[in-house]
Every structure is written in structure tokens, then in C-alpha cells.
Amino acid sequence: MKDWKKTVVTVGVCIGLAALAYFAWLFPFYEFAVNDYETSLEKLMSAEYVRVLAPLLIILALSAAGIVLVVLVRRLLVRAGKDTPRFDRARAGRQRGAAPKRKLSLFMAVRWAAMAVFSFLMIWGGLIFGWKMSSLSIPVLSCPWNTEQMAESGCYYLSHLDELFELPGRSIVLFFGSTIFFAVLLGRVICGFLCPMGLVQDVMDGIRRKTKAEGIRMNDNMYEALVPVRWCMVLIFTGLCFAGGNFCNFCPAVAVSPILAGISTSLYVSGFFMVLVLMGGFFKRRAFCTVCPLGTVLGFFHKASPFRIRKDCQACTECGACYEACPMGIKMIYTEREKNDVTCAQCIMCGECVRCCPEDNALSLTFAGKKIYTSSRKKIMSGYARPAGENADGGRRQGF
Ligand code: SF4
Ligand code: SF4
Ligand code: SF4
């Protein structure tokens, strides 16, 4: 597509998003509603909870139906010879199905455990343990409509700045103090290790891999086209409240976190966006993160974070495995030939590039200069090792 056409399309998408956000209140189904703020452990154990879960079950059913539909359409296209290069293919030189089996590294196990534990605490922490640090703001895209979550989710006041400045001075200082503290200390480690929406998307990606459905590979042009959309989302996220709107009305997280905590939530537009997030996360890893406004805001602080991705350009053989593995499509990690620090604002610190790099110490994830996860040829090659007793054709060795 020519450059001017790309600009017209992206500007059109941005205007469409802004118009949707501003005028959607005209539709009666749009307004977000929480019917019941009260939850209890008894409620979570009762049949009443199943009724509360109904909107989420509908969202899951719609997402599953949408995914199946896309897979079927994709198969029809392939049969008709209209396959498109946007769908993920096996890497050049590697036959489909022959990808190495990789053990879960300690780093990845810690990452998954951190996401699961933190999401659990954010959703049920207040209810189960009574931990409600409501003046402490952790900038993750969980949902403050869930009154049982462990700490204040920074996203509410960032998207309701008009309300923030009506709070007592002490609360404002605490909000900005804790938000900035966590954002600077952790940067986008929050995205890779803590955010419940990140976990949801990673789970969808895991389901796709298990079902062996083909994903969608975004090319550089597509990532570029998303840049203005991302900034438009930030503007809507932080500025909509000043125009009389409410970002929560279409935030996908609203459709999940309060419901799981037993708070009755109606299935409105946020549910529709959650369906898109689940479908997007299934076909493209961390699809929502590529336009998430909170992630973009965290990116501002990421430059000051002690967590970095470092590259030894001498050890790099320019194989491109890191770029291919990156869910955020960060090319610089592969193309950089001089700088040691290859951290960028879009990096969610997931460590996938380090995991997939086949050269010893070419890529490392560091904290305050100390390596906490490094690339290793041995770990990569161990994935290709044949199980004992298996021959080169995959059959069993015959005894003599
Ligand atoms: S980009 Fe947004 S949704 Fe994704 S992990 Fe970060 S805060 Fe969560
Ligand atoms: S650059 Fe590496 S750590 Fe950052 S998002 Fe991409 S794969 Fe994850
Ligand atoms: S995967 Fe490692 S060796 Fe390959 S291009 Fe990236 S940094 Fe270089």
C-alpha cells in the first residue's frame, strides 16, 4: 500500500476510535453497569456465582465461535488457493512439526507463576486474604470496578484524571508516588510478569499452540500502521474524561475481573472488545498489547527501569530468531549492530527473544547490570536431542 494510503487508513481508524468512544454513550447498551458491589466467599461457592459468571461465559462462547469461524474461513481460502502470507509459517529451513521440544526454563516458569499469582491476588486477594491496599496504585490493566482486588489499579485514575484532582492532596500524592515508583522500578516488566490482561492473552496463545491452529504474522508495515492507533488510544485513555466520556465503558478488562470476583456486571461494549482481545490473542500473541494505552504509558517510564535487554553484538550471528520470537514485533533487537542496550519502550520484557537466541550470551535480560537470563546454545540444542533409544528417523532402535 502506498504511504499516503496508509496515512489515510490510520487516520481514519483513529478518528473512528475517537468517535466510537465519544458518541457511544448515545446507545443505551453502551453504559457500563455494576449491579452488585457486594461479594463474599459464600457467594463464590454458591449457585448465584454461576449466574454472575454468565456474561463471561457468553464472551468465551462468542470468542470460541469467532475463532472457529476464522479457522474455517482460513481453510477455505487455502483450499481455494488464496492463502495469504499474513499467516504464520514454519521458519525457513525448519519443517512444520519438526520444531524442537523445549523444556520450560526457570525464567519462563517464574514468569508464568508471577502472572498467575498476581492475577489471582488482583482479582480475589481482597476477598480471600482481606488485603485491600486501596491507596497503593499498581499500574496494571486489571479492573478497579472489582472492589475486591488487592490494590488500586493505576488505570482507573489515569483514565479519570478529572476525578483524581478532586481527591484530597494526600491521596493524589500517594497515587502518583506509587504509580511512578512501580512504573520506574518495574517498567514494562509489569506487562511481562504481572498484568492479568497479559496472562489472558498468553493463555490464548498457549491454546492456539496446543490446538496447532495457525497464527497471524504481522509484518513491519502492519506494526507501523498501529503506531498512530496506539497514540490515539493513549489520548482517549487519558483525555476522554475531560470530554464527558468514560474509558471504562469499553475497556475489555471490565468484562472479566469484576465478574470473576463475583460482582454482577452487564455484558455491554466492553464484552464485545473482550471478544476481540481473546480472538486477537489467539491468532497473534499479545495482540491487544500492541495498542494498549496503559502499556504505552508504562513505556514512558521503561527507559528509567533497571530491567534491560542487552545484546553482545559480537556474539550475534544475525539469524533473526529473536525478531521472529518477539510478540511485539521489535526489529531493533535483531538489527542493532553497535549498542549494548537494546531495550525499547514497546518491549514487554517477556524474555522470548533471549529464550530463542541460539548464541551463548548474545542476548541477556539484566537487572541493574546483573544478568538474570541469558541466551544459551546448549539450551536451544537440547530441544533437538533425540530421546534415548530413538533413531534419526524417529523410530526405535532395534536391538541385536
Ligand atoms: S500492554 Fe497493556 S494489556 Fe498488555 S500487559 Fe501491558 S498493561 Fe497489560
Ligand atoms: S524484545 Fe524480547 S523481551 Fe522484549 S518483547 Fe520482544 S521478545 Fe519480549
Ligand atoms: S537471535 Fe541472537 S544471534 Fe540471532 S539475530 Fe537475535 S541476537 Fe543475533
Side-chain angles (χ1 to χ4, degrees):
M1 209 190 290
K2 286 185 182 155
D3 277 357
W4 68 267
K5 279 191 187 166
K6 267 193 242 165
T7 311
V8 170
V9 170
T10 48
V11 168
V13 171
C14 292
I15 292 173
L17 273 175
L20 173 71
Y22 190 75
F23 292 109
W25 61 272
L26 293 171
F27 300 96
F29 60 81
Y30 185 75
E31 202 63 36
F32 167 70
V34 169
N35 303 327
D36 180 7
Y37 280 104
E38 294 300 318
T39 56
S40 61
L41 281 176
E42 289 76 43
K43 187 174 176 182
L44 288 194
M45 304 294 163
S46 68
E48 159 78 359
Y49 188 46
V50 178
R51 187 189 64 76
V52 173
L53 283 180
L56 187 57
L57 298 178
I58 294 171
I59 288 169
L60 292 176
L62 288 175
S63 307
I67 287 167
V68 170
L69 190 68
V70 173
V71 169
L72 290 178
V73 169
R74 156 86 177 129
R75 282 199 189 150
L76 287 176
L77 283 175
V78 171
R79 267 191 218 151
K82 291 181 184 163
D83 187 13
T84 93
R86 286 182 189 176
F87 288 82
D88 206 0
R89 290 171 189 282
R91 275 179 66 192
R94 188 192 285 172
Q95 292 299 307
R96 188 171 157 69
K101 282 186 182 152
R102 305 285 302 277
K103 284 185 207 149
L104 188 67
S105 66
L106 179 64
F107 177 87
M108 288 299 163
V110 167
R111 194 170 87 77
W112 277 95
M115 278 195 294
V117 169
F118 192 80
S119 299
F120 182 87
L121 288 178
M122 283 307 276
I123 295 170
W124 293 287
L127 188 61
I128 295 175
F129 304 108
W131 299 345
K132 289 195 189 176
M133 300 173 280
S134 51
S135 47
L136 197 66
S137 164
I138 301 176
V140 289
L141 204 54
S142 55
C143 183
W145 293 101
N146 170 3
T147 48
E148 305 299 348
Q149 69 178 9
M150 182 185 67
E152 193 70 73
S153 163
C155 78
Y156 181 79
Y157 281 119
L158 286 175
S159 60
H160 294 75
L161 288 170
D162 55 336
E163 288 182 27
L164 174 67
F165 292 114
E166 285 169 9
L167 293 178
R170 183 176 161 274
S171 302
I172 298 175
V173 170
L174 262 174
F175 171 80
F176 278 116
S178 50
T179 302
I180 293 172
F181 172 77
F182 285 116
V184 169
L185 176 69
L186 299 173
R188 293 200 73 175
V189 168
I190 288 170
C191 297
F193 283 74
L194 302 183
C195 179
M197 288 293 284
L199 174 65
V200 165
Q201 294 177 83
D202 280 353
V203 167
M204 291 308 288
D205 178 68
I207 294 172
R208 179 183 71 75
R209 284 168 199 271
K210 285 278 176 228
T211 55
K212 298 196 174 11
E214 280 197 279
I216 294 175
R217 177 166 292 282
M218 283 173 57
N219 60 29
D220 292 350
N221 290 343
M222 292 160 91
Y223 279 111
E224 253 174 55
L226 287 178
V227 174
V229 178
R230 198 156 57 224
W231 288 109
C232 193
M233 290 284 280
V234 173
L235 275 181
I236 293 170
F237 180 61
T238 52
L240 193 63
C241 60
F242 297 110
N246 183 358
F247 182 80
C248 295
N249 281 341
F250 62 101
C251 173
V254 157
V256 177
S257 176
I259 294 174
L260 284 173
I263 294 165
S264 300
T265 312
S266 304
L267 181 69
Y268 291 126
V269 171
S270 64
F272 167 74
F273 280 106
M274 193 63 203
V275 171
L276 294 187
V277 169
L278 292 176
M279 286 180 66
F282 182 86
F283 289 107
K284 155 80 183 84
R285 190 168 176 196
R286 295 281 183 134
F288 177 66
C289 295
T290 56
V291 293
C292 170
L294 190 62
T296 311
V297 171
L298 283 174
F300 299 148
F301 298 93
H302 196 43
K303 278 212 175 305
S305 165
F307 288 95
R308 318 298 303 163
I309 299 284
R310 299 200 183 270
K311 179 174 179 179
D312 178 350
C313 297
Q314 302 300 318
C316 171
T317 50
E318 304 180 23
C319 68
C322 50
Y323 174 47
E324 190 182 349
C326 179
M328 302 300 281
I330 297 167
K331 200 169 191 177
M332 180 254 249
I333 202 107
Y334 154 55
T335 55
E336 181 58 53
R337 297 285 168 258
E338 288 177 8
K339 277 198 293 179
N340 174 252
D341 188 341
V342 284
T343 322
C344 74
Q346 277 74 51
C347 173
I348 56 170
M349 305 303 275
C350 63
E352 280 299 323
C353 52
V354 180
R355 186 175 76 95
C356 293
C357 174
E359 302 302 333
D360 286 333
N361 300 317
L363 285 178
S364 316
L365 200 151
T366 65
F367 173 73
K370 296 260 180 300
K371 289 181 181 175
I372 50 179
Y373 186 42
T374 53
S375 56
S376 155
R377 171 172 284 272
K378 194 174 154 201
K379 278 186 205 150
I380 294 273
M381 295 315 289
S382 68
Y384 289 96
R386 283 195 296 274
E390 193 176 90
N391 63 27
D393 301 325
R396 306 294 298 176
R397 276 193 202 122
Q398 301 298 313
F400 291 102

